[in-house]
Amino acid sequence: MVTVFRNSLSRQANRVAAVVMLLLLSSACQAKLSSTFYEKTCPNALSTIRKVIGKAIARERRMAASLVRLHFHDCFVQGCDASILLDNSPSVTSEKFVPQNNNSVRGFEVIDQAKSAVEKVCPGVVSCADILAVAARDASEYVDGPSWTVKLGRRDSTTASPSLASRDLPSFTDSLESLISLFRTKGLTARDMVALSGSHTIGRARCLTFRERIYSSGSNIDARFASKRRCRCPATPGDGDSNLASLDLVTPNSFDNNYFKNLLQKKGLLQSDQVLFSGGSTDDIVSEYSRNPCTFKSDFATAMIKMGNIQPLTGSAGIIRKICRRVNN
């Protein structure tokens, strides 16, 4: 009788323990991002990252645009999980070599430096995905762009997906309808899409990406603008493909609203830029941003926060990579 009673208590205790464990795991998997995530575990994380980003942009102003773009290209593939940082390995096929990334996405060494600096302060605590998110904010702020409160607590993936990267990353030839649809699948509105496209107020693009536009006979490009761009972008494919041109000819190193003013004058460098103002549904948004830089910067910050919340790995999901380019051994 006593033995039966003890066995019953033991079974009840096991059931309670199992329920508690399930609740804890559920809570961990459903953890939310928080701006104070590292407040106790790594209080100097953000200031450490900021120093590295500031030095990198001071050396090369273009790096600001590259770091913003790196975060964007990460979040659009598998969510904001730092999958874009992974190199090829026996267990991983990298996303770095799909057409939208190859010889285009850059800044990996800056993220490496930031990760190394943070690891010295608090080893194994801060994810590469969070470093990407913080770096994008710091880069924007460094070139007079908006700042925002970065929500933290992302964890890093153990996989990458070239197939999803090829499918989900926008292309410089995309139509307005394609861009709106692609951003909608990520939970972003057409207004978010136009605001995020405004990051092209800084940075440069390769001849390969705008050759067809500047040599076309279309009516949606200013003739003098096209002529000037042809100086460093020969018509022959393969000739000068990597030659660079500023996405914003007016103030290429400052985060402002000149990008939208350029579109009104048919001076968008990429076809995927100009389609935002080409008689379509986003014309009014472009016009608004061209008149009101404060509205643009506010909307950009809001859209960056929304983008940074695309399917993050949190709680017990994912890992904290020791080195951003590879999965922990």
Side-chain angles (χ1 to χ4, degrees), residues 163-175:
S163 60
L164 289 180
S166 296
R167 186 194 72 183
D168 291 352
L169 290 173
S171 167
F172 58 88
T173 59
D174 279 349
S175 67

Side-chain angles (χ1 to χ4, degrees), residues 12 43 77 94 101 106 119 128 147 163 169 179 183-184 193 209 219 221 225 227 242 254 269 286 300 310 327-329:
Q12 289 178 7
V77 183
S94 179
N101 289 334
R106 56 198 297 274
E119 284 293 304
C128 300
S147 184
S163 60
L169 290 173
L179 289 170
F183 277 69
R184 185 184 297 123
M193 184 268 290
T209 63
S219 60
I221 185 168
F225 171 78
S227 178
S242 295
S254 295
L269 186 62
V286 171
F300 180 82
I310 296 175
V327 178
N328 301 341
N329 294 325

Side-chain angles (χ1 to χ4, degrees), residues 159-204:
T159 62
S161 179
S163 60
L164 289 180
S166 296
R167 186 194 72 183
D168 291 352
L169 290 173
S171 167
F172 58 88
T173 59
D174 279 349
S175 67
L176 178 62
E177 292 73 22
S178 294
L179 289 170
I180 290 174
S181 176
L182 179 58
F183 277 69
R184 185 184 297 123
T185 64
K186 304 300 178 182
L188 299 167
T189 65
R191 190 175 185 89
D192 294 328
M193 184 268 290
V194 176
L196 290 171
S197 297
S199 64
H200 283 185
T201 189
I202 53 175
R204 295 190 283 178

Side-chain angles (χ1 to χ4, degrees), residues 180-253:
I180 290 174
S181 176
L182 179 58
F183 277 69
R184 185 184 297 123
T185 64
K186 304 300 178 182
L188 299 167
T189 65
R191 190 175 185 89
D192 294 328
M193 184 268 290
V194 176
L196 290 171
S197 297
S199 64
H200 283 185
T201 189
I202 53 175
R204 295 190 283 178
R206 295 180 299 147
C207 167
L208 173 68
T209 63
F210 59 85
R211 175 184 284 118
E212 184 175 348
R213 173 162 163 74
I214 63 174
Y215 284 99
S216 71
S217 56
S219 60
N220 69 338
I221 185 168
D222 177 82
R224 292 181 63 185
F225 171 78
S227 178
K228 186 171 184 178
R229 291 299 90 205
R230 290 173 191 153
C231 293
R232 284 188 49 77
C233 186
T236 306
D239 189 4
D241 281 0
S242 295
N243 290 352
L244 299 171
S246 296
L247 287 157
D248 172 13
L249 287 174
V250 184
T251 54
N253 293 318

Side-chain angles (χ1 to χ4, degrees), residues 49 70 74 81-88 92 94 96 107-119 126-133 156-160 319-328:
I49 296 168
L70 195 57
D74 177 43
D81 62 357
S83 63
I84 195 172
L85 303 179
L86 288 170
D87 288 336
N88 278 328
V92 172
S94 179
K96 295 179 181 180
F108 300 107
E109 72 284 355
V110 177
I111 301 302
D112 290 341
Q113 292 162 11
K115 176 63 171 176
S116 178
V118 172
E119 284 293 304
V126 182
S127 69
C128 300
D130 275 346
I131 291 174
L132 279 172
D156 301 323
S157 68
T158 57
T159 62
I319 62 172
I320 303 297
R321 288 191 221 137
K322 298 174 183 176
I323 296 175
C324 291
R325 292 174 183 256
R326 66 172 186 251
V327 178
N328 301 341

Side-chain angles (χ1 to χ4, degrees), residues 33-35 68 71-72 75-76 80 133-134 136-137 140 146-152 154 186-188 192 195-196 297-312:
L33 301 182
S34 166
S35 60
V68 171
H71 180 42
F72 171 82
C75 289
F76 263 53
C80 306
V134 173
R137 188 273 311 276
S140 170
S147 184
W148 55 91
T149 300
V150 179
K151 297 293 183 67
L152 303 164
R154 300 168 191 80
K186 304 300 178 182
L188 299 167
D192 294 328
L196 290 171
K297 288 186 176 183
S298 175
D299 284 359
F300 180 82
T302 298
M304 287 295 288
I305 292 170
K306 288 176 67 175
M307 187 187 77
N309 200 39
I310 296 175
Q311 295 178 308

